[in-house]
Amino acid sequence: MAAYAEWFPAGAVFLCVVDPGVGGTRPSMIVEADGRCYVGPGNGLFELVQRRARKARSWDIDWKPERLSASFHGRELFAPVAAMLARGEPPPGQSRTDDADRRPDWPDDLCEIVYADHFGNAMTGLRVATLPPGASLAASGRVLQRERTFSDRPSGAAFWYENSNGLAEIAVNQGRADRDLALAIGSRLEIVS
Amino acid sequence: MAAYAEWFPAGAVFLCVVDPGVGGTRPSMIVEADGRCYVGPGNGLFELVQRRARKARSWDIDWKPERLSASFHGRELFAPVAAMLARGEPPPGQSRTDDADRRPDWPDDLCEIVYADHFGNAMTGLRVATLPPGASLAASGRVLQRERTFSDRPSGAAFWYENSNGLAEIAVNQGRADRDLALAIGSRLEIVS
Amino acid sequence: MAAYAEWFPAGAVFLCVVDPGVGGTRPSMIVEADGRCYVGPGNGLFELVQRRARKARSWDIDWKPERLSASFHGRELFAPVAAMLARGEPPPGQSRTDDADRRPDWPDDLCEIVYADHFGNAMTGLRVATLPPGASLAASGRVLQRERTFSDRPSGAAFWYENSNGLAEIAVNQGRADRDLALAIGSRLEIVS
């Protein structure tokens, strides 16, 4: 989310729902970071956005809908609150004064596959700007060179490149990196410099 | 559909296309039930909505588009009729006076898996309000207790809960109920009370 | 795309992204054909639209966004240009004067499976209007008759029919043609007349 959010203008409101603890003890939160707002569970989902922001503050949501199920707060709680913010209403909650929702022990970058898209491209959690110049990535026992784009390599060849959000991504020209290199979410990588 | 429709306000128009008999002899219908309108095939799709409505009536559509293929009435017939209703035009058809489209032999609830979502949660056709208090559900040779939400059970544990539309749903906290319990659409369940 | 475009009115703008050569040497183009506009890569994607048009012309895009990645021109280059055209602005580029982007050797129809939809129906690249009356299609060692719609055949039976865009499509009533007949994108067919 931190990689994508910077494409959006100030004033944008993000409705964020990755919420395995829904209905449990995690707080319901609003975060404002560099002029953009985020509504969702306080389970670490906003950690990197907060950490990278020049200016951030947050609120605990205290608004409740008339009917709230235990398992679907995205629709029933977070979406109405995001709509309130998008309409220009003030955050319906109390300013958060401690950092109990923060995750200082989480890394800034993750040297793993974090997502495989519809085409089999395997996205890492590594910002290319943080890698040593000329670095290769080792995955599944293979060392992959960096290329600029797919067509810089022959059909069927694997490589890594900087994707359009600034993250390192592993791909195979006209193939599927997830299948050809046996990569899945959580597969570990090594940086070879 | 009956479980979801009640979230929508009076005046809502539903365009409904589950239509294996498209182009055959099933009628094309409009149903008005408790102030909401439904447009689609008269193949039983509206049965539970009609049955549970305090007040319902229906029409046979007699409007035809300029060009009607034999296999795609959702786009070419039902969508334009739904648009007419949404614009406030009267139903383009004749009031239905018999019950030939109804399915009196269909059950009110279905003791089966009716859907598995993207996360592997397996939805049943059972309204929780109709189950005995404290009931468990038996599936794939296991007896599952009811919980309020996912995080009430340890990671990897299976349970059932009332989903946000009032139906019983089988889930595994941070797992996939469809895979872990070998459940698919049509899998039979038993109510253990 | 040629089969679907004719459903849209004159003035429609299509943003088209099938672009394995993104960031490489293929041109970035705008095509106007019979009053509709298409924006995307000049890699053959527009060939059939251009060939079938009564009147067509094209431009090489020379506009560039402030920030252009090597791998995601759909979002960063083609979408903004499509938006300019939709707002009524003139094409931001130079009229194309040669036919270097055309593919005269490509066939008018493709006697293969070109797509399998969510339900397992297998679409061919054959326009039904070009087939001999009464033609059957042979696929996976079976000869399939033409039917008007799904319910004209018993449950489980395979056939072909003219889909809602005028293409021949192979289906199994209440089954999956892709699985039941082992069809996938690229599977060869024969016309039996």
Side-chain angles (χ1 to χ4, degrees):
Chain A
M1 188 167 63
Y4 285 92
E6 65 185 80
W7 285 85
F8 289 78
V13 178
F14 293 86
L15 167 60
C16 305
V17 190
V18 180
D19 196 7
V22 60
T25 58
R26 95 283 177 270
S28 297
M29 290 185 63
I30 299 165
V31 169
E32 185 187 271
D34 291 341
R36 303 181 191 96
C37 282
Y38 305 81
V39 182
N43 60 8
L45 185 54
F46 306 127
E47 174 60 25
L48 289 181
V49 163
Q50 289 166 289
R51 193 184 297 179
R52 293 179 189 168
R54 286 175 298 278
K55 189 178 167 191
R57 49 185 182 157
S58 59
W59 293 261
D60 282 310
I61 296 171
D62 60 17
W63 178 84
K64 286 271 180 296
E66 210 173 301
R67 176 178 168 180
L68 182 63
S69 70
S71 63
F72 209 173
H73 292 188
R75 178 182 72 189
E76 294 158 21
L77 178 60
F78 300 138
V81 168
M84 290 174 205
L85 298 179
R87 290 172 56 168
E89 298 176 21
Q94 303 302 317
S95 266
R96 193 156 187 117
T97 52
D98 67 21
D99 283 340
D101 62 304
R102 299 298 300 273
R103 302 292 192 277
D105 53 319
W106 285 13
D108 285 308
D109 291 270
L110 201 58
C111 199
E112 294 180 7
I113 300 303
V114 298
Y115 183 68
D117 74 12
H118 180 68
F119 302 101
N121 303 318
M123 194 188 297
T124 75
L126 297 169
R127 289 169 296 171
V128 175
T130 69
L131 295 176
S136 296
L137 292 178
S140 302
R142 294 178 54 181
V143 176
L144 306 171
Q145 309 291 328
R146 177 176 182 179
E147 301 289 349
R148 200 181 56 88
T149 192
F150 292 69
S151 55
D152 289 340
R153 291 284 285 154
S155 178
F159 60 97
W160 77 267
Y161 70 111
E162 178 174 359
N163 77 10
S164 65
N165 297 303
L167 298 173
E169 189 164 308
I170 296 174
V172 170
N173 186 20
Q174 298 184 49
R176 294 190 64 96
D178 59 353
R179 191 188 52 206
D180 297 355
L181 284 81
L183 296 173
I185 292 175
S187 296
R188 304 286 304 173
L189 309 171
E190 269 180 68
I191 300 167
V192 183
S193 56
Chain B
M1 189 167 64
Y4 286 91
E6 66 185 78
W7 285 84
F8 289 79
V13 178
F14 293 86
L15 168 59
C16 305
V17 189
V18 181
D19 195 8
V22 59
T25 58
R26 95 282 178 272
S28 297
M29 291 185 63
I30 299 164
V31 168
E32 185 186 271
D34 292 340
R36 300 179 193 99
C37 281
Y38 305 80
V39 182
N43 59 8
L45 185 54
F46 306 126
E47 173 60 25
L48 289 182
V49 164
Q50 289 168 290
R51 194 184 294 177
R52 293 177 189 169
R54 288 176 296 280
K55 189 178 167 191
R57 50 185 181 155
S58 58
W59 293 261
D60 282 309
I61 296 171
D62 59 17
W63 179 84
K64 286 270 180 296
E66 210 173 301
R67 177 176 167 180
L68 181 64
S69 69
S71 62
F72 208 173
H73 292 188
R75 179 183 71 189
E76 294 158 20
L77 179 61
F78 300 139
V81 168
M84 290 174 205
L85 298 177
R87 291 172 55 168
E89 298 177 21
Q94 305 301 318
S95 267
R96 192 156 188 118
T97 52
D98 67 22
D99 282 341
D101 63 303
R102 299 298 300 273
R103 302 291 193 278
D105 53 318
W106 285 13
D108 284 310
D109 291 270
L110 201 59
C111 198
E112 295 179 7
I113 300 304
V114 298
Y115 182 68
D117 72 14
H118 180 68
F119 303 101
N121 302 317
M123 192 188 296
T124 76
L126 298 168
R127 288 169 297 171
V128 175
T130 69
L131 294 176
S136 297
L137 293 178
S140 304
R142 294 178 54 180
V143 176
L144 306 172
Q145 310 290 328
R146 177 177 182 176
E147 300 290 349
R148 201 180 55 88
T149 192
F150 292 69
S151 55
D152 290 340
R153 292 284 285 154
S155 179
F159 61 97
W160 76 267
Y161 72 111
E162 178 174 359
N163 76 11
S164 65
N165 297 303
L167 299 174
E169 188 163 310
I170 297 175
V172 170
N173 185 22
Q174 299 183 51
R176 294 190 64 95
D178 58 354
R179 191 188 52 204
D180 297 356
L181 285 81
L183 297 173
I185 292 174
S187 296
R188 305 285 305 175
L189 309 170
E190 270 181 67
I191 300 166
V192 184
S193 57
Chain C
M1 188 168 64
Y4 285 91
E6 64 185 80
W7 285 85
F8 289 78
V13 178
F14 293 86
L15 168 58
C16 305
V17 191
V18 181
D19 196 9
V22 61
T25 58
R26 94 282 177 269
S28 296
M29 290 185 63
I30 299 164
V31 169
E32 184 187 274
D34 292 342
R36 301 179 193 99
C37 281
Y38 305 81
V39 182
N43 59 9
L45 186 54
F46 305 128
E47 173 61 25
L48 289 181
V49 163
Q50 289 167 289
R51 194 185 294 178
R52 292 178 189 168
R54 287 177 297 280
K55 190 178 166 187
R57 50 185 180 156
S58 58
W59 292 261
D60 282 308
I61 297 171
D62 59 17
W63 179 84
K64 287 271 180 295
E66 210 173 301
R67 177 176 167 179
L68 181 64
S69 69
S71 63
F72 209 174
H73 292 187
R75 179 182 71 188
E76 294 158 20
L77 178 61
F78 300 139
V81 168
M84 290 175 204
L85 299 178
R87 291 171 57 167
E89 299 177 20
Q94 304 302 317
S95 268
R96 192 156 187 117
T97 52
D98 67 21
D99 282 341
D101 62 303
R102 300 297 301 273
R103 301 293 194 278
D105 54 318
W106 285 14
D108 285 309
D109 292 270
L110 201 59
C111 199
E112 295 180 6
I113 300 304
V114 297
Y115 183 69
D117 73 13
H118 180 68
F119 302 102
N121 302 317
M123 193 188 296
T124 75
L126 297 169
R127 289 169 296 172
V128 175
T130 70
L131 295 175
S136 296
L137 292 178
S140 303
R142 295 178 54 180
V143 176
L144 306 170
Q145 308 291 327
R146 178 178 181 176
E147 301 290 348
R148 201 181 56 88
T149 191
F150 291 68
S151 56
D152 290 341
R153 292 285 284 154
S155 179
F159 60 97
W160 76 268
Y161 71 110
E162 178 174 1
N163 77 10
S164 65
N165 296 303
L167 298 174
E169 190 163 307
I170 297 175
V172 169
N173 186 21
Q174 299 182 51
R176 295 189 64 96
D178 58 353
R179 191 186 52 206
D180 297 355
L181 284 81
L183 296 173
I185 292 175
S187 296
R188 303 286 305 174
L189 309 171
E190 269 180 66
I191 301 166
V192 184
S193 57

